[in-house]
Amino acid sequence: MALNEVPEGLGPQGLCLWNEITEGFDLRVDELRVLGDACFEVDMIGRMEDAMRNQPLVVTGSQGQPVANPLVQELRQHRSLVARLLAALKLPDEDGREGGALDRSAQARRAALTRWGRAG
């Protein structure tokens, strides 16, 4: 993959996040890899949300008891992973400082999650 080349297989949500960040920042190769992983995770979250859309939040467990749909926990874990991956980029805020009260990666994450109707 050439520097800043869009990773093959990104969906529309991941591609949007990729473009949002790569258009504003020059990232190193290792940072591009982290960003690519975050973008694939964003796409996976979208697919899981689509799958959940027509599913009940509570399902029957192995002992016949009501339990949370397993996708609920999976979504929470993948959202947490996206947050960690974006935070790992340590993108500077608008003042050029890294890791402000609401650093650039948090802003990008919040904007991305808001854009697709997902609360972090």
Side-chain angles (χ1 to χ4, degrees), residues 13-14 20 27 34 36 45 48 51 53 60 69 77 83 86 96 98 101 109 115:
Q13 295 167 346
E20 228 176 84
L27 302 178
V34 171
I45 289 167
M48 285 192 291
R53 195 161 283 117
T60 303
N69 188 315
Q77 289 176 347
L86 292 176
E98 283 187 13
R109 177 177 61 253
R115 173 174 293 123

Side-chain angles (χ1 to χ4, degrees), residues 5-71:
E5 183 180 321
V6 176
E8 189 175 327
L10 278 186
Q13 295 167 346
L15 181 60
C16 184
L17 180 59
W18 177 271
N19 289 334
E20 228 176 84
I21 293 177
T22 58
E23 288 172 6
F25 299 97
D26 292 323
L27 302 178
R28 299 182 318 256
V29 173
D30 59 316
E31 292 170 327
L32 289 171
R33 175 57 196 230
V34 171
L35 176 58
D37 289 344
C39 293
F40 282 111
E41 284 293 319
V42 166
D43 285 337
M44 185 175 297
I45 289 167
R47 290 192 307 273
M48 285 192 291
E49 287 178 336
D50 288 343
M52 271 298 299
R53 195 161 283 117
N54 298 317
Q55 298 296 316
L57 290 176
V58 178
V59 296
T60 303
S62 63
Q63 302 295 313
Q65 79 281 20
V67 296
N69 188 315
L71 278 176

Side-chain angles (χ1 to χ4, degrees), residues 76-106:
R76 185 175 335 147
Q77 289 176 347
H78 286 273
R79 287 177 178 144
S80 177
L81 178 56
V82 168
R84 288 192 314 269
L85 288 167
L86 292 176
L89 293 176
K90 297 181 182 176
L91 298 175
D93 64 14
E94 286 143 7
D95 296 332
R97 295 174 294 138
E98 283 187 13
L102 185 59
D103 64 17
R104 186 65 164 206
S105 61

